[in-house]
Amino acid sequence: MNVKQQQVYRSGFVAIIGAPNVGKSTLLNKLLGQKLSITSKKPQTTRDRILGIANQPEAQFIFLDTPGIHQAHKPLNQRIVEVALSTLGDVDLILMLVDASKPDPVSENLLLKAVKNQNNPVVLALNKTDLIPKPALLTQIEKWHRSHDFKAIVPVSALTGDQLENLCDAMATSLPDGPPLFPDSMLTDMPERFITAEMIREKAFRLTGQEIPYSVAVTVDTFKEQKKGKLVSIQATIHVEQDSQKGIIIGKKGSKLKQIGKAARKEIERMVGTKVYLKLFVRVQKNWTKDTKALRRFGY
Ligand code: GDP
Ligand code: MG
């Protein structure tokens, strides 16, 4: 076994929260760098919640939009905290950003209140450190240490890029172990259907204890928005090569398929930002990997 395979890889969904003008967009752009993967064509729709994906050698961060929190034209008020509360619960990690050069106790306390209501790990980044002297920064770090059990407190400058590596390390450490949720090869122009198929495939693979080959294919047969965008209804098929694999995926009285569906649905809901109705089918298609026609149909 080579050394690389033994290293822990981590991946997960990250929400960046902070008051207007603290530097969220600047930071996100820096973190995504050249690897800006998914550009949101319809930023106002709930279906484009993935802002971008940043790949590090040992971690993948999928940044999710948190509706309300980033809207600079609205004051940070109680309503926004409510929205934050309802969406933050789903992410693997919260990255809270404050402007160290211009502390704002009112909005900072609201954010603290929001994150204290969650169980998710929170990394705090103190931004714009290029604007303040070191002693002032140390005082702030001490204050923040007392205010919440942050996974890490990292002073950064999103503008100059200072300390961003430390920030990425701190974030990676706080994410769950797991393979990249989005393989490198599909990081450009991913249709949601394809991402959905990938999420189902990954869950099927993980939840069967890898008893099925990684080459199992998933097709998304329907992907419909319903109830005025409040629900997405999806039908998908898991294609396997052998009857025995079908049995493994379905499980006793359908229990395994139910488990796969539930896990995939939760992840798809995080991506699309609405409730999802997911119906899964399992189909045996012998030798599909060798059949180029089938391959094309699966989009490979
Ligand atoms: P957002 O509203 O939280 O998305 O904030 P923006 O990313 O739009 O940044 C607001 C302003 O702060 C912009 O003028 C940025 O150039 C500036 N800014 C962001 N990060 C830094 C930083 O680390 N240092 C300095 N000096 N300015 C920054
Ligand atoms: Mg912004």
Side-chain angles (χ1 to χ4, degrees):
M1 197 189 283
N2 74 37
V3 180
K4 252 203 172 134
Q5 283 175 331
Q6 293 176 336
Q7 280 176 346
V8 179
Y9 193 93
R10 296 167 192 271
S11 64
F13 291 90
V14 181
I16 304 183
I17 64 168
N21 286 319
V22 296
K24 297 180 296 299
S25 302
T26 310
L27 179 67
L28 188 63
N29 289 339
K30 266 274 162 43
L31 293 178
L32 296 176
Q34 296 306 311
K35 285 232 162 173
L36 179 70
S37 337
I38 303 176
T39 47
S40 177
K41 288 165 205 127
K42 308 165 281 175
Q44 298 313 316
T45 70
T46 47
R47 288 180 52 182
D48 289 284
R49 287 196 64 208
I50 295 181
L51 296 173
I53 298 174
N55 284 306
Q56 307 281 310
E58 277 145 43
Q60 182 177 66
F61 308 111
I62 301 140
F63 292 102
L64 280 193
D65 199 5
T66 42
I69 296 181
H70 63 105
Q71 288 173 355
H73 58 279
K74 283 186 188 164
L76 189 74
N77 55 24
Q78 195 57 43
R79 170 78 192 116
I80 289 172
V81 173
E82 277 163 22
V83 175
L85 283 173
S86 67
T87 56
L88 288 184
D90 302 336
V91 296
D92 298 301
L93 174 67
I94 297 170
L95 174 59
M96 177 170 154
L97 196 64
V98 298
D99 181 346
S101 74
K102 219 167 102 193
D104 172 2
V106 174
S107 56
E108 286 166 7
N109 282 334
L110 286 173
L111 287 174
L112 268 179
K113 212 170 137 191
V115 301
K116 278 181 189 297
N117 270 297
Q118 310 295 327
N119 292 320
N120 342 38
V122 187
V123 167
L124 175 68
L126 308 178
N127 193 28
K128 307 198 188 182
T129 53
D130 55 297
L131 296 178
I132 57 165
K134 247 208 176 118
L137 190 58
L138 292 177
T139 316
Q140 285 192 39
I141 292 174
E142 277 172 23
K143 184 201 81 180
W144 283 111
H145 263 302
R146 288 192 299 269
S147 69
H148 184 71
D149 188 17
F150 293 106
K151 283 283 167 188
I153 299 176
V154 191
V156 299
S157 171
L159 196 66
T160 67
D162 191 35
Q163 302 294 323
L164 290 190
E165 243 171 66
N166 278 345
L167 179 62
C168 285
D169 286 348
M171 289 199 298
T173 312
S174 309
L175 285 183
D177 295 359
L181 293 168
F182 301 103
D184 241 351
S185 57
M186 34 176 300
L187 283 182
T188 45
D189 193 28
M190 284 182 279
E192 276 165 332
R193 277 172 176 250
F194 195 26
I195 300 174
T196 296
E198 198 53 29
M199 286 173 164
I200 296 166
R201 193 174 75 92
E202 195 264 337
K203 291 288 173 266
F205 181 66
R206 244 199 246 190
L207 292 171
T208 51
Q210 310 181 359
E211 286 174 82
I212 55 153
Y214 196 59
S215 58
V216 66
V218 174
T219 50
V220 172
D221 311 311
T222 62
F223 192 110
K224 276 190 254 169
E225 248 183 55
Q226 290 176 335
K227 297 192 178 168
K228 296 191 175 132
K230 289 203 176 107
L231 176 80
V232 175
S233 170
I234 300 168
Q235 281 190 24
T237 306
I238 301 173
H239 303 261
V240 293
E241 289 189 289
Q242 292 158 18
D243 291 324
S244 61
Q245 294 165 348
K246 182 174 176 177
I248 290 169
I249 286 185
I250 290 176
K252 251 197 198 129
K253 291 183 179 162
S255 59
K256 186 58 77 182
L257 189 62
K258 218 171 174 181
Q259 210 185 340
I260 294 167
K262 193 177 168 196
R265 177 177 54 78
K266 281 190 177 164
E267 210 158 272
I268 299 164
E269 282 179 342
R270 289 199 286 194
M271 170 177 73
V272 298
T274 66
K275 285 251 170 280
V276 164
Y277 172 77
L278 176 63
K279 192 158 177 60
L280 289 180
F281 301 90
V282 184
R283 188 167 168 248
V284 180
Q285 171 144 350
K286 301 225 159 70
N287 296 325
W288 74 265
T289 48
K290 296 182 195 87
D291 179 348
T292 46
K293 254 189 229 151
L295 284 180
R296 218 168 289 140
R297 201 148 49 77
F298 293 131
Y300 283 81

